[in-house]
Amino acid sequence: MSRYTIQSAVKVLDTLFAFDTTDILTMEELGQLTRQSRNQVFRCVKTLQEYGLLAERENGWVLTPMMLRLLPSMRRDPIGTVAEPY
């Protein structure tokens, strides 16, 4: 990573993108997927919760519908352009 990268932002984004294969994750699962400490996962999850992107359920954490706010920006670009980095 470059010296301009904000490490804490990367950790929060890693936590957010851990939800790419499942609907609900526990703190322990998030720690395993992101290779972050329990404390760091907790802080990332709480940050995402305060922003409205994650919600706590009885058996873990889920993405909220607020994630759908990103869809309009994706529609502006052809799918090939959006998918190219992946």
Side-chain angles (χ1 to χ4, degrees), residues 29-48:
E29 291 168 327
L30 284 166
Q32 291 170 353
L33 291 169
T34 62
R35 295 187 176 137
Q36 296 177 33
S37 70
R38 185 179 182 96
N39 181 52
Q40 188 63 53
V41 169
F42 179 80
R43 292 171 61 202
C44 290
V45 165
K46 287 302 188 177
T47 299
L48 291 165

Side-chain angles (χ1 to χ4, degrees), residues 17-30:
F17 283 100
F19 287 88
D20 67 346
T21 60
T22 187
D23 295 335
I24 191 162
L25 290 169
T26 65
M27 289 278 196
E28 291 77 20
E29 291 168 327
L30 284 166

